[in-house]
Amino acid sequence: MNTKFHDLISEASKVVLDKNVEIRLAMTCLLAGGHLLIEDLPGVGKTTLVQVLGKLTGLKTRRIQFTIDLLPADAIGGQVFHPQEQKFVFHPGPLFSQMVMADELNRASPRTQSALLQAMEEGEVSVDGTTWPLPKPFYVIATQNPHQQTGTFPLPESQLDRFLMSLELHHASKETEVRLLQGEDPRGRLQKISALFTDGEIENALSAVQSVTVSPVVAGYIAEILERSRRAGFEGAPLSTRAGMALVRAAKAWAFLEGRDYVRPDDVQQVLVPVLGHRLGGNHGIKRGREWAHALQKATPVPV
């Protein structure tokens, strides 16, 4: 199973160039049963990343383009009256997919943004008093433009906390950009990609990740990170216990990809900034939160 995931990362790297670490972190987030937030400028490969991951995992993938006039029902679905049957029938929206790309999430109104809260936390949605379960696994990869751009609405802290991890993709290297400007288009590989996983294999991997163990030493290291964040006086929100639990989940998934059934402190180090950046930054933005997370990482002694 681990070999397949490494093959997936290798194949995806041929399409989304210069993003090996980011691809691995995106897979870590999936295996941890979480959701991913990507903040960056348009044109750095966010949509292509989701497309290639959807194809390689074999998960049913849909894209929702969030705009100011998007309504909650446009994503969730709604009741439609059927005259022949004389009753309302629920028609699922694009949210009823295994991998959902919520593109430019912060361009939608707060009301529409909040429609994702229940789905991301509980894996189900409620419409007119009826609760509908979402497919499993359910993985949201949301993108947002930098908060200083016009036409954006800041994501509230409660919604940021629903994302297990956050990333910035950044621009490709100059050498890669030269190749792209000369006409090389790696997205053409998308048509030739086939799924590496059969139905149920992803869910089996998710179960295996949960059984990865965390020693008292590693748990104490994570607790010290939380405590230091509360004493540091960051402008953003201090870290909650739930943030620590998110760090545990991500570290377990990273250890699983390393082929281990236990977490080491260096696993925590690898996922610390992606897990904590958006939680520390809050309305100051992911970029600022990542800077604080890096500072916190350096300030906390790593157990031997």
Side-chain angles (χ1 to χ4, degrees):
M1 182 67 73
N2 296 73
T3 302
K4 278 193 173 186
F5 281 108
H6 286 286
D7 290 344
L8 183 152
I9 294 167
S10 176
E11 287 299 312
S13 298
K14 297 175 183 176
V15 178
V16 188
L17 305 178
D18 295 344
K19 302 291 187 293
N20 295 50
V21 173
E22 290 80 1
I23 292 168
R24 179 167 182 153
L25 287 168
M27 288 309 304
T28 299
C29 190
L30 168 62
L31 290 170
H35 306 289
L36 178 65
L37 177 63
I38 304 175
E39 178 181 278
D40 224 317
L41 298 169
V44 294
K46 299 187 294 292
T47 300
T48 305
L49 173 63
V50 178
Q51 289 173 334
V52 71
L53 290 181
K55 283 212 166 191
L56 289 170
T57 57
L59 299 178
K60 180 183 176 183
T61 305
R62 297 285 297 275
R63 175 183 177 181
I64 306 173
Q65 181 64 52
F66 281 76
T67 57
I68 185 62
D69 59 346
L70 189 79
L71 298 174
D74 295 328
I76 296 174
Q79 303 279 8
V80 177
F81 184 71
H82 285 208
Q84 297 85 354
E85 303 172 25
Q86 289 295 296
K87 66 177 183 180
F88 284 92
V89 177
F90 178 66
H91 285 232
L95 196 61
F96 282 77
S97 301
Q98 293 172 306
M99 184 180 294
V100 178
M101 180 179 187
D103 203 8
E104 297 186 307
L105 177 61
N106 62 337
R107 290 202 179 275
S109 67
R111 178 188 176 193
T112 301
Q113 290 178 16
S114 66
L116 287 179
L117 285 174
Q118 182 187 12
M120 293 172 64
E121 183 69 15
E122 302 172 17
E124 59 188 25
V125 295
S126 297
V127 180
D128 295 335
T130 302
T131 299
W132 304 87
L134 293 165
K136 293 184 179 180
F138 178 65
Y139 183 30
V140 174
I141 302 180
T143 70
Q144 71 169 1
N145 294 324
H147 69 284
Q148 69 269 20
Q149 290 195 344
T150 58
T152 61
F153 296 87
L155 300 182
E157 285 84 351
S158 59
Q159 185 148 17
L160 286 171
D161 198 45
R162 296 304 194 277
F163 290 99
L164 181 70
M165 301 171 71
S166 63
L167 295 175
E168 294 176 289
L169 289 187
H170 304 293
H171 294 289
S173 67
K174 181 179 178 181
E175 292 75 14
T176 297
E177 285 191 325
V178 169
R179 289 161 49 195
L180 294 173
L181 293 171
Q182 287 180 308
E184 180 180 336
D185 187 1
R187 290 177 299 178
R189 295 176 180 266
L190 276 172
Q191 307 305 320
K192 304 174 184 178
I193 285 177
S194 57
L196 298 178
F197 295 86
T198 59
D199 289 345
E201 283 187 317
I202 297 291
E203 284 196 77
N204 290 339
L206 285 164
S207 298
V209 167
Q210 293 179 16
S211 65
V212 174
T213 60
V214 178
S215 69
V217 172
V218 172
Y221 174 47
I222 293 174
E224 179 64 19
I225 292 170
L226 300 180
E227 184 61 29
R228 282 177 179 264
S229 80
R230 296 159 191 163
R231 299 198 307 260
F234 293 127
E235 295 176 45
L239 296 175
S240 66
T241 303
R242 184 157 61 179
M245 294 171 69
L247 195 51
V248 168
R249 289 166 56 194
K252 282 184 174 185
W254 189 275
F256 174 82
L257 286 175
E258 289 290 317
R260 284 183 275 102
D261 61 358
Y262 61 94
V263 174
R264 298 192 315 207
D266 55 295
D267 298 320
V268 178
Q269 290 268 307
Q270 294 291 342
V271 299
L272 188 150
V273 174
V275 171
L276 302 184
H278 58 290
R279 292 179 166 88
L280 286 171
N283 286 334
H284 296 276
I286 292 177
K287 185 177 182 63
R288 187 68 173 129
R290 288 171 68 86
E291 292 174 359
W292 286 330
H294 275 295
L296 187 60
Q297 185 179 41
K298 292 179 181 179
T300 309
V302 181
V304 179

